[in-house]
Amino acid sequence: MAKEGNVLLGILAIILGILVLIFPLFSVFTVSILAGLSILFLGIWLLIQSFAVWESNKGVSIAYLILGILGIIVGIGLFGNIVAFSFLVSFWLYLAGFFLIFSAIMSLFAKEGTAGKGSGIVGVILGILYIVLAAYAWNPYYLAILIAVWLIVDGIALFFINPSEIVKMEN
């Protein structure tokens, strides 16, 4: 069973998921503002880093400068722009789906045994699911539903799963 802190986080995630279902456009707008701000701050940090490492490595400094400028532009473009945020999420899901399918097909041919074939088949199914979800994520209403379902499922999972125990089991 989960710890008390995880139960509280689970309850908060479920409440947040329900709020996203009730106010879908406002929720996507809020997430786009948060994403825009975080990418904007990342761009500013990279821009500052480009000047900080100029003396030691000019190539890295130029890379930081370019990434910082791109981060600032993307952050400003995402800030409160629901359509741009929906496009970015959809593009990311398409990309992840294609990579999942590609790696799963490679797994089917490279691995031997039932477990290797099974993981390849599961990867193909998940990749197709990602692509289907990406087709719906273009619409901000469906994107809000996807976010809400994810929050509710994750909140319910936090009632039963203790993430710190999973980390201990892996080590």
Side-chain angles (χ1 to χ4, degrees):
M1 195 66 173
K3 290 184 180 178
E4 292 175 19
N6 290 335
V7 172
L8 179 63
L9 284 175
I11 292 170
L12 289 175
I14 291 170
I15 291 171
L16 190 58
I18 292 170
L19 285 174
V20 170
L21 282 176
I22 295 171
F23 305 108
L25 285 181
F26 179 73
S27 301
V28 174
F29 177 75
T30 304
V31 172
S32 71
I33 287 176
L34 293 173
L37 277 176
S38 63
I39 293 173
L40 179 68
F41 288 139
L42 178 65
I44 292 170
W45 180 77
L46 286 169
L47 196 63
I48 292 169
Q49 286 297 314
S50 72
F51 297 117
V53 299
W54 178 257
E55 292 298 321
S56 62
N57 194 340
K58 299 208 184 335
V60 171
S61 176
I62 292 171
Y64 280 161
L65 180 69
I66 293 169
L67 288 173
I69 292 170
L70 284 173
I72 290 170
I73 292 170
V74 170
I76 291 170
L78 273 180
F79 188 81
N81 191 342
I82 295 173
V83 175
F85 182 71
S86 295
F87 169 77
L88 185 65
V89 170
S90 182
F91 175 74
W92 188 256
L93 285 171
Y94 273 124
L95 194 64
F98 286 124
F99 275 117
L100 267 171
I101 290 172
F102 179 73
S103 65
I105 291 172
M106 295 299 292
S107 174
L108 281 172
F109 291 116
K111 293 184 178 176
E112 295 179 9
T114 309
K117 303 292 184 195
S119 68
I121 291 170
V122 169
V124 169
I125 293 170
L126 285 175
I128 292 170
L129 180 66
Y130 269 49
I131 291 172
V132 169
L133 290 176
Y136 286 106
W138 285 96
N139 187 337
Y141 288 109
Y142 292 130
L143 179 60
I145 291 170
L146 289 173
I147 293 171
V149 167
W150 172 73
L151 283 168
I152 292 170
V153 168
D154 195 39
I156 292 170
L158 282 172
F159 286 124
F160 303 105
I161 298 170
N162 188 357
S164 61
E165 289 178 7
I166 294 172
V167 172
K168 289 177 186 174
M169 292 166 82
E170 289 177 357
N171 293 332

